[in-house]
Amino acid sequence: MISWMQKHNKYLVWTIWVATIAFIGAGFVGWGSYSFGSKAGNVAKVGNIEITQSKLNMVYSNIYNQYNEMLQGKLDDKKAKEMGLIKQAFSTLATQAKILNFAQDVGIIVSDEEVAKMLEEIKGFQKDGLFNKEIYKGYLRSQRLKAKVFEATLRDDLIINKTLALLQTESLPLEEETVSAAMNTADKLTYKVLTASDVTFTADEAKVKAYWETQKENFMTNKTYALSIVWTQTSDTVITDEELKTFYEANTFNYTDANGKQLLFDAAKEKASRDLKLKKTKKAAQKSYIAFKKGKLESSENTTLPVGDLKLTKELWDEIGQKSIGNILKPKVVGDQYATVKINSIEEPKVMSFEEAKEKVTETYTVEAKKEALLTLAESTLENLDESNATVSDFITLENRDNLKSLNSQESLQFLQKLFTSSKEKGIISISNKIVVYNIMEQKLLGMDANKTNFVKDNVNQMKKRTFETNLIKMLDTKYPTEVYMEGLIN
């Protein structure tokens, strides 16, 4: 699923805001964020539309949470960076901005009433089936969002949907017949599935170093900060049961389970206690900040950290990324304490030496070399493929695909989608980290089930819609140029 999303992320553009709204109903989960500088709060400009850092963070957070849910909470910043999630988030926003530019040019607008209606229909903001203003305000506070920013996002979503709705057309009889024939074609195959385990490969250091010479700009050290930190603890802050109960009742919207259901006091007590202690300790943290700034207080520790180190929070790294050497940041919550941070020095990223990068380079080179070796094996296998050294399938269709050995259901679907859109009788098809070498032995046309008529129409309509959207984006790519202010957002 993750590899599918990465490969088809352009087709997820239209649903990204809807997915964002879906997460609202999931109990105000904590979103990820990304740390980088900006130009007056903007990270890029597409046509006449500026892409703000706050909007990029919002979309990145949404994508981060989608992948994190699929990974059962095991996603971290390092893995997110390796997967290119920030680039995916920016690509989504850049594509949306092009559509919004186009919508401006052709005069597509959305009224305040339409935005209000959409807001009222978000289930996460409802109580007993009706929109609840207090829940909405509580959500905005918990995510540090202004209402106008969130509602502007909803407006953009509605404008994009209106614009893309103009591309919708009904299927034509000839199109239905053509797709129906393709969907009802059954093939009998001789095939063999190859994986990396089928090739033997040992990385040669000389070749690894030669590879590094051509790719060294991709192996950089992390940007690091030398910091002085004043920690203000909450462990000694005293709270009474009465204070805790009053605090909980005033902030119940912050205490929900994974399904968004409000937690009772006993279940929320531990988290509410932490939050109340932080609130009562805030004044002490501010006094420490002033004393530290005046030179009357020594730092609790001096440390050097790479950007994004988990010792500090994403929010704090985001602010550090916008400050200069010598700046002292106001206290920020880190776990159950406050951190007041001073930036002593900054070391910018630089190209790693071969020895520094050797482990990463070897890993990357090995992956690439194995792919090439696997493709070479596939080509030689294709020349000699027959029933004696391969698997023979039954007659298979897009719907009847579960009998392909060595492929799971999703891999089988991807393989057959490529197979039934190919004109080659024999060939090589790559799927994720596998390669299927095939030869079509026999083909037949199945009868058309009358009950599938609507299914065929829906498929034709989806294919046409996707084709129109893809061609629209290609046109808009040339019409509305993108100016990026920050590095690392595009390939």
Side-chain angles (χ1 to χ4, degrees), residues 314-368:
K314 295 181 180 71
E315 179 191 11
L316 189 45
W317 277 118
D318 185 50
E319 187 170 348
I320 290 172
Q322 300 177 55
K323 300 297 182 180
S324 305
I325 295 172
N327 286 165
I328 299 177
L329 284 65
K330 292 183 178 180
K332 292 289 185 298
V333 174
V334 177
D336 58 356
Q337 56 191 329
Y338 284 91
T340 299
V341 175
K342 179 182 179 181
I343 303 173
N344 296 321
S345 64
I346 303 172
E347 184 174 341
E348 297 294 337
K350 61 182 180 181
V351 174
M352 291 181 180
S353 67
F354 176 67
E355 289 304 319
E356 289 175 318
K358 186 176 179 179
E359 185 177 345
K360 289 183 178 179
V361 175
T362 301
E363 183 179 341
T364 304
Y365 171 75
T366 300
V367 171
E368 294 298 323

Side-chain angles (χ1 to χ4, degrees), residues 141-194:
R141 285 195 298 270
S142 69
Q143 299 300 320
R144 296 178 178 85
L145 283 173
K146 293 183 179 179
K148 65 179 182 180
V149 173
F150 183 77
E151 289 162 21
T153 298
L154 298 186
R155 187 181 300 275
D156 286 347
D157 185 29
L158 287 167
I159 291 172
I160 289 171
N161 287 338
K162 274 191 176 183
T163 304
L164 296 177
L166 299 175
L167 303 177
Q168 293 180 358
T169 60
E170 289 299 316
S171 60
L172 301 174
L174 180 60
E175 293 169 335
E176 293 173 17
E177 290 175 16
T178 303
V179 172
S180 175
M183 292 178 65
N184 286 277
T185 298
D187 288 344
K188 187 174 184 179
L189 309 175
T190 300
Y191 71 96
K192 190 167 186 177
V193 179
L194 303 175

Side-chain angles (χ1 to χ4, degrees), residues 253-322:
F253 60 85
N254 278 329
Y255 306 109
T256 56
D257 61 19
N259 297 315
K261 185 178 179 181
Q262 183 177 311
L263 295 173
L264 297 176
F265 176 68
D266 286 342
K269 189 173 182 179
E270 184 177 345
K271 189 173 186 304
S273 176
R274 169 189 171 275
D275 293 345
L276 179 54
K277 284 187 175 184
L278 284 168
K279 182 180 179 181
K280 292 188 70 173
T281 309
K282 187 174 182 179
K283 191 171 182 179
Q286 290 170 335
K287 287 182 178 179
S288 294
Y289 160 73
I290 293 171
F292 184 49
K293 196 169 184 180
K294 291 181 177 181
K296 296 180 179 180
L297 180 66
E298 294 293 324
S299 61
S300 306
E301 70 169 302
N302 297 308
T303 184
T304 299
L305 300 174
V307 171
D309 189 279
L310 296 180
K311 185 180 185 73
L312 305 178
T313 63
K314 295 181 180 71
E315 179 191 11
L316 189 45
W317 277 118
D318 185 50
E319 187 170 348
I320 290 172
Q322 300 177 55

Side-chain angles (χ1 to χ4, degrees), residues 187-194 381-382 385-396 401-408 411-412 415-416 419 425-429 431 434-441:
D187 288 344
K188 187 174 184 179
L189 309 175
T190 300
Y191 71 96
K192 190 167 186 177
V193 179
L194 303 175
T381 302
L382 181 60
L385 189 69
D386 58 40
E387 296 181 31
S388 65
N389 59 14
T391 302
V392 178
S393 74
D394 295 329
F395 280 99
I396 52 176
R401 58 181 181 271
D402 292 330
N403 59 346
L404 289 174
K405 296 178 181 178
S406 302
L407 296 177
N408 60 35
E411 290 169 340
S412 296
F415 167 66
L416 292 176
L419 176 68
E425 181 180 340
K426 58 190 298 186
I428 298 170
I429 292 177
I431 302 158
K434 298 179 181 179
I435 290 181
V436 182
V437 183
Y438 73 90
N439 182 22
I440 299 176
M441 301 171 60

Side-chain angles (χ1 to χ4, degrees), residues 106 108 158 180 212 224 241 244-245 279 324-325 364 404 409:
V106 298
I108 296 174
L158 287 167
S180 175
W212 169 75
T224 59
D241 289 341
L244 183 58
K245 185 78 177 207
K279 182 180 179 181
S324 305
I325 295 172
T364 304
L404 289 174
S409 181

